[in-house]
Amino acid sequence: MPFHAPHSDTDVIVVGAGLAGLSTAHHLVNAGVTVTVLEAAPRVGGRMSTESVDGFRLDRGSQLLGTAYPELRRTPGLKGLRLLPLTPVTAPAAHPRGALGAFHKARLGSALGRFAAIPLPRLLARAETTAAEALAARGFPPRMVDGYLRPLLIALLHDAQLTTSSRCADLVLRGFARGRLALPAGGSGAVPELLAAALPPGTVRLGARAISVSANAVTTADGERMPCRAAVVATGARDAAALLPGLRVPSFHPVTVVHHAADAAEAPRLREPALVLGSDGRGPVAHTMVASDVDRSRAPAGRVLITSTVLGPATAAPPELLDRSVRAHLAELYGTRTDGWQLLAVRDDPRAVPAMPAPHDLRRPVRVLCGLYVCGDHRDTSTVQGALFSGRRAAHHVMRDFGIRPGYGDTARDLPAAA
């Protein structure tokens, strides 16, 4: 039976204007539901944002998108998103025994092609273990694993030890095999900004922090009580648990992003826009890229932007010490001098990526009770795909409780085609 509540100015209040919350809002608006999105910060995007420093566009986090992510095509408001591809490569200087030659690259392409063709139910039916154990048991040649697949999965999962559930890792690897890695043009913040801009004017309220949430009202920090027919909590895991006591808070993978600037004459010389994999145990960098080679808008004329990602305990080091060790590692990875590079920013997030250890529920519930819902990457997979997909799931549950039939997909069975 459809759920009804007293009249209010808005049907649904979404708390949080990250990808999950904005995805929820779009699906509901498209179904004719009125929505208000409350965001405590002065900008949308949550952990996915871009800042401007001296003419450079710096992502605050480390987000790699996949062109095969189905939710990038399904989410209303993202039609104008421009994805710029980059190719993961292993630096020969970093992996002298693991770097892949032409023959092994051909074998890798063939192996990934077979992996991409595995039907999703069969992939998810495999016994669940850790990503590290599964990688060793998948039948890939050891040189391929050590020289490419292991550092690639570390980069995609932000998990230096590969303790992630093998099912999540398989989804991520399948998504990579079916498409390409990419960056959004203009910075990662372009994704939530596009979503917010495509909503009806006034839908998103910035600087509005929710302090309590129920199925029929949300109260903000300035004392405003906003009645509604339903509420969706779309914040990070810790904030969601504070608003909805009883939610389990996962552990997290800490991530630090280090941005350097260099003159064009000092820039690394790469054959193509590339993600250089650096998980070789000889330095702190998990992966790095000349971001301005991928997206020219990220650096002013005559300058280049090098963006590097550090995982795990190294993220707690003082910025000056971290910078020193990162520069030394980058000099090896790129085969060039780095002492003349300018440090632009160090952005550390100890709760950047919710951990997905085995056993991991790919479909954690998003319906708390009739009229109250929760979504975010901590409810599905800890990826952009997972955040968007979880928002769609929450929207579909709201629609069903309102007596509206969702336009596509079945939230009871529809598993993500890529994580």
Side-chain angles (χ1 to χ4, degrees):
M1 177 178 295
F3 168 69
H4 299 282
H7 173 75
S8 63
D9 291 334
T10 189
D11 292 321
V12 178
I13 295 177
V14 177
V15 179
L19 294 189
L22 294 171
S23 169
T24 301
H26 266 285
H27 289 292
L28 290 174
V29 166
N30 272 20
V33 178
T34 58
V35 179
T36 296
V37 181
L38 303 181
E39 172 54 54
R43 52 169 176 74
V44 299
R47 298 189 303 272
M48 197 165 184
S49 63
T50 303
E51 60 185 329
S52 179
V53 176
D54 297 334
F56 293 88
R57 291 181 178 177
L58 311 182
D59 286 349
R60 294 188 63 87
S62 175
Q63 287 92 8
L64 296 168
L65 277 62
T67 59
Y69 283 175
E71 293 305 307
L72 293 179
R73 299 187 300 273
R74 290 175 175 172
T75 304
L78 287 181
K79 287 190 170 78
L81 179 64
R82 192 159 62 96
L83 296 180
L84 305 174
L86 69 166
T87 302
V89 300
T90 304
H95 295 266
R97 289 179 296 179
L100 301 179
F103 173 72
H104 287 90
K105 286 181 180 178
R107 291 187 66 190
L108 173 65
S110 177
L112 288 175
R114 291 192 298 271
F115 193 81
I118 298 174
L120 194 57
R122 179 177 153 200
L123 195 73
L124 295 174
R126 289 175 165 178
E128 188 176 18
T129 180
T130 68
E133 291 172 348
L135 194 56
R138 289 291 183 253
F140 296 115
R143 186 173 181 181
M144 190 183 297
V145 171
D146 295 334
Y148 192 85
L149 292 177
R150 189 184 310 278
L152 174 66
L153 273 179
I154 288 173
L156 297 179
L157 298 169
H158 296 91
D159 177 6
Q161 305 304 317
L162 290 185
T163 56
T164 295
S165 159
S166 58
R167 289 179 183 169
C168 298
D170 282 346
L171 282 172
V172 166
L173 189 59
R174 184 176 185 267
F176 169 75
R178 293 167 69 91
R180 295 196 64 183
L181 292 187
L183 296 181
S188 66
V191 182
E193 288 167 6
L194 276 172
L195 288 171
L199 287 168
T203 298
V204 179
R205 289 180 49 180
L206 301 176
R209 183 168 66 88
I211 59 172
S212 71
V213 176
S214 69
N216 59 11
V218 173
T219 303
T220 64
D222 61 7
E224 181 181 7
R225 184 179 184 275
M226 304 176 62
C228 56
R229 294 176 61 197
V232 180
V233 175
T235 65
R238 289 206 170 193
D239 289 338
L243 291 170
L244 300 173
L247 286 185
R248 182 180 67 84
V249 179
S251 56
F252 298 88
H253 296 306
V255 176
T256 296
V257 179
V258 183
H259 297 284
H260 288 99
D263 292 332
E266 299 175 318
R269 299 286 184 256
L270 301 175
R271 295 180 179 178
E272 60 182 326
L275 182 76
V276 179
L277 304 172
S279 303
D280 57 356
R282 294 161 58 176
V285 177
H287 54 276
T288 179
M289 59 183 156
V290 183
S292 52
D293 279 358
V294 185
D295 180 3
R296 188 58 254 173
S297 73
R298 299 196 182 208
R303 304 277 277 166
V304 297
L305 172 65
I306 301 98
T307 296
S308 308
T309 298
V310 177
L311 306 176
T315 62
E320 61 275 9
L321 294 180
L322 181 62
D323 179 39
R324 192 179 308 159
S325 61
V326 165
R327 283 175 190 262
H329 197 190
L330 293 177
E332 290 189 21
L333 292 172
Y334 288 118
T336 189
R337 294 178 62 89
T338 60
D339 48 312
W341 293 3
Q342 172 193 357
L343 178 65
L344 288 172
V346 176
R347 297 290 179 255
D348 174 42
D349 186 349
R351 296 187 293 274
V353 180
M356 302 181 288
H360 180 75
D361 185 359
L362 289 167
R363 304 298 299 281
R364 296 185 67 190
V366 294
R367 185 181 188 271
V368 179
L369 50 85
C370 187
L372 194 56
Y373 314 84
V374 59
C375 61
D377 60 358
H378 51 95
R379 311 309 295 174
D380 280 83
T381 56
S382 304
T383 61
V384 169
Q385 162 70 15
L388 292 170
F389 184 66
S390 132
R392 175 161 70 93
R393 284 207 294 137
H396 282 195
H397 277 290
V398 174
M399 291 179 207
R400 286 188 170 92
D401 285 343
F402 280 10
I404 302 170
R405 182 175 179 178
Y408 65 90
D410 184 341
T411 56
R413 297 174 312 199
D414 185 23
L415 283 164

